[in-house]
Amino acid sequence: MKKTIAFLTLLALVALPASVMAAKTGDFELGGYIKLHTWWDSTNDLNKNISVKGNRNNAFRPTNEGKFRMTAQDTRFNFKIKGPEVWGAKTQGYIEVDFDGSGQDPQATVTYAVQPRLRHAWFRFDWPGGWQLLMGQYWGVFCNYWPDTVNSGPLFGHGMSTQRLPQVRVTYATGPWTFVALAGVPNDEFDNGLAGVNNVFGFPWLPGTAANFPGGRTSMPQFGVQATYEQDLWGKAAFFGRPRAFSANVSFGIQRMKYDSGIAAARTWGQAGYGAVALVQEDSQDLVPWMVQASMFIPLLPTQTEDLKGTASLQVQFYVGQGLRAFGNDFLGGNNSYFDFDSFTTAGGFVNFPSYNRKLMKRYGGYIQGQYYFNNQWHVSYLYGFSKAYGVTRARNAALVTGANPDGYEFATLGDPVKFIQEHNVSLFYRPSKNFKFGLSYVYLNQNWFQTEGSPFNAAGAPFSTTTDTTRGDVHRVQFAGWFFF
């Protein structure tokens, strides 16, 4: 059996280069780049994509020592395959892989054996007249525009969606307009997980949310639609090294998400930290994550040719929605939902126990980026992005007053949700030829939590004042990257 498996594996490795050699010119194309990314952070609790800071400036044991890191795991390669004409349509396929499957900041001793990760895998049909059908893993509807930064995954989880999902996608282009509709795999979110409880017969009475299988607890696909207008109205400006005309886009995504019932020892608003509360979610809930996004690319100093010298552009994007992790935004655990008091139970094994309903976190955010090309080799950009929560309850109820919850707050969570996060990113790029690119940047990240946390006492041993800003976290980064495109 082992010999058979080994033979089949060898055959598969030989088959790919053999099929490539047999393909006609233009049928098969290899592309991608090799990238080295290196950075220094002012704290040691930030990953390479700058998604979130781990703790507050005033934490009991703050991680405020600097950290230097370096990785080549953002290296990627892709295969583009030209297929035969089918049903009157031209066909092609595309596969792209990077090496981010080992996590954001892997540690190693002998070698950094990072793992491959599938980014894109799709095939599509293109008909005359502007119709297109795509099947496979591809970008969601919120990823048409992308900030130009040194680090991969710009504004990761706090201003820019990063979403690639298996889907069926229909596109229709006519004149300056492009319309898209997709049905894709829904996202099951394990955020604020609940423990299960069995009845007296040993069967699940409250199942809990321990299982987390993509699409396993959702009964409908995720749906997305978008409309894009792109037209050369007064000239073009550079977008990732190529001229692009004025463009405006509106996108919308929606899905259903099921949260099973269960129990939890959660936390609620306190004076100088969270207070512990016990709760039960008696019924499973079907909640509806949704997101609306508007984007524009605006040439400010345009060109009428391929020469990018002296061109400038402005890129703006704004979104609003709830449960944004379903659409590749808001990556911090405990941030996607929270609990709100409903009533006291009247039946079952928890009579007069506080029963809570789950609510999805509402957020709005986006980014603005200005970019200027000194010439075709040098350009500079400034990027500001943010994400802010709103509508979180601070209601009180006298029936909830306990020693751990003296003010009777109705809010509860198992996480440590962030209220507001913002990032400033200044980058300088140099591209001496189409095959090489280098970038140097400075990044400042500021993060604010809803609640104080960590030690309830300051360095002098006195309690924190409730008027003191003890919810803040700051990070400074200097980073450099080099790319070799092939």
Side-chain angles (χ1 to χ4, degrees):
M1 182 64 181
K2 291 182 179 179
K3 292 182 178 180
T4 302
I5 294 175
F7 173 76
L8 292 175
T9 303
L10 179 62
L11 185 62
L13 292 173
V14 173
L16 178 60
S19 62
V20 172
M21 293 173 62
K24 296 179 180 178
T25 302
D27 286 352
F28 181 91
E29 182 180 337
L30 173 66
Y33 57 74
I34 300 168
K35 178 183 178 182
L36 177 68
H37 180 205
T38 179
W39 67 93
W40 177 88
D41 292 330
S42 60
T43 71
N44 58 13
D45 61 349
L46 197 68
N47 58 28
K48 71 180 180 68
N49 282 353
I50 321 179
S51 57
V52 68
K53 188 184 186 311
N55 61 18
R56 299 155 176 75
N57 293 344
N58 71 313
F60 183 54
R61 291 183 175 88
T63 55
N64 53 9
E65 303 87 2
K67 180 182 74 171
F68 175 81
R69 299 294 296 154
M70 186 180 294
T71 183
Q73 68 187 103
D74 289 335
T75 295
R76 69 182 64 163
F77 64 89
N78 60 70
F79 301 93
K80 186 182 293 184
I81 308 100
K82 181 181 178 182
E85 187 170 310
V86 178
W87 303 321
K90 295 182 179 180
T91 64
Q92 67 171 307
Y94 185 84
I95 300 173
E96 184 178 51
V97 177
D98 65 14
F99 298 89
D100 221 10
S102 303
Q104 287 257 353
D105 192 9
Q107 300 289 327
T109 53
V110 178
T111 183
Y112 278 72
V114 293
Q115 300 171 7
R117 181 186 68 161
L118 183 66
R119 289 173 55 86
H120 298 282
W122 52 260
F123 62 93
R124 77 183 193 198
F125 304 83
D126 291 274
W127 284 275
W131 286 97
Q132 180 189 98
L133 173 65
L134 180 146
M135 297 182 182
Q137 181 163 300
Y138 187 58
W139 294 116
V141 294
F142 302 108
C143 305
N144 287 48
Y145 303 77
W146 206 256
D148 191 3
T149 61
V150 169
N151 57 290
S152 299
L155 305 176
F156 198 65
H158 55 268
M160 176 69 197
S161 284
T162 305
Q163 181 192 31
R164 292 176 289 268
L165 70 162
Q167 60 184 275
V168 177
R169 183 187 190 104
V170 177
T171 302
Y172 176 64
T174 175
W177 290 95
T178 302
F179 303 95
V180 172
L182 70 83
V185 63
N187 180 62
D188 276 338
E189 181 50 58
F190 189 51
D191 185 79
N192 274 308
L194 297 172
V197 177
N198 290 339
N199 62 16
V200 294
F201 302 104
F203 297 104
W205 174 55
L206 301 177
T209 54
N212 182 32
F213 304 102
R217 296 203 314 274
T218 50
S219 56
M220 296 175 61
Q222 180 180 127
F223 296 102
V225 294
Q226 70 175 204
T228 303
Y229 174 84
E230 186 162 352
Q231 182 79 350
D232 188 347
L233 300 176
W234 56 80
K236 300 180 179 181
F239 182 79
F240 285 89
R242 297 179 180 179
R244 183 175 187 176
F246 170 81
S247 178
N249 172 285
V250 177
S251 300
F252 172 73
I254 191 169
Q255 73 165 60
R256 290 176 62 184
M257 183 180 292
K258 182 177 181 180
Y259 286 95
D260 295 319
S261 55
I263 63 172
R267 309 191 296 174
T268 189
W269 307 126
Q271 296 299 321
Y274 288 103
V277 296
L279 61 86
V280 59
Q281 180 186 313
E282 283 191 283
D283 302 314
S284 63
Q285 291 182 249
D286 286 308
L287 302 181
V288 181
W290 61 267
M291 180 173 167
V292 178
Q293 179 177 282
S295 312
M296 284 196 300
F297 177 80
I298 307 170
L300 296 180
L301 298 176
T303 179
Q304 304 294 335
T305 68
E306 296 294 312
D307 188 1
L308 302 176
K309 180 180 180 180
T311 63
S313 65
L314 188 67
Q315 201 168 309
V316 294
Q317 187 163 282
F318 178 81
Y319 64 81
V320 63
Q322 66 177 14
L324 299 183
R325 198 162 177 174
F327 311 108
N329 213 332
D330 199 1
F331 287 93
L332 182 65
N335 250 20
N336 207 57
S337 66
Y338 61 93
F339 300 103
D340 188 19
F341 175 72
D342 177 53
S343 62
F344 288 94
T345 61
T346 59
F350 292 89
V351 178
N352 294 324
F353 203 78
S355 178
Y356 284 67
N357 288 327
R358 187 187 296 265
K359 290 187 176 180
L360 295 176
M361 185 76 75
K362 296 181 174 66
R363 290 189 180 272
Y364 64 89
Y367 71 84
I368 181 171
Q369 178 182 263
Q371 198 167 63
Y372 178 74
Y373 272 65
F374 300 103
N375 51 45
N376 290 292
Q377 290 78 41
W378 291 90
H379 71 275
V380 65
S381 69
Y382 165 72
L383 171 68
Y384 171 75
F386 76 100
S387 175
K388 188 171 185 178
Y390 71 96
V392 177
T393 179
R394 288 188 178 268
R396 304 184 187 188
N397 190 316
L400 295 176
V401 172
T402 64
N405 187 14
D407 295 313
Y409 282 108
E410 296 186 357
F411 166 90
T413 178
L414 276 72
D416 187 15
V418 172
K419 182 178 182 180
F420 179 53
I421 184 169
Q422 58 182 328
E423 178 184 324
H424 299 265
N425 190 317
V426 181
S427 303
L428 177 66
F429 295 97
Y430 173 56
R431 191 161 190 172
S433 72
K434 67 177 183 177
N435 295 104
F436 292 95
K437 180 180 178 181
F438 304 94
L440 177 67
S441 79
Y442 164 76
V443 181
Y444 168 68
L445 184 76
N446 168 246
Q447 188 169 297
N448 287 267
W449 287 262
F450 276 101
Q451 179 63 300
T452 60
E453 182 62 304
S455 171
F457 301 96
N458 61 24
F464 280 130
S465 167
T466 56
T467 61
T468 302
D469 182 9
T470 59
T471 62
R472 183 184 181 98
D474 300 278
V475 179
H476 302 271
R477 166 175 288 189
V478 177
Q479 58 184 349
F480 169 82
W483 295 260
F484 170 56
F485 297 89
F486 55 87

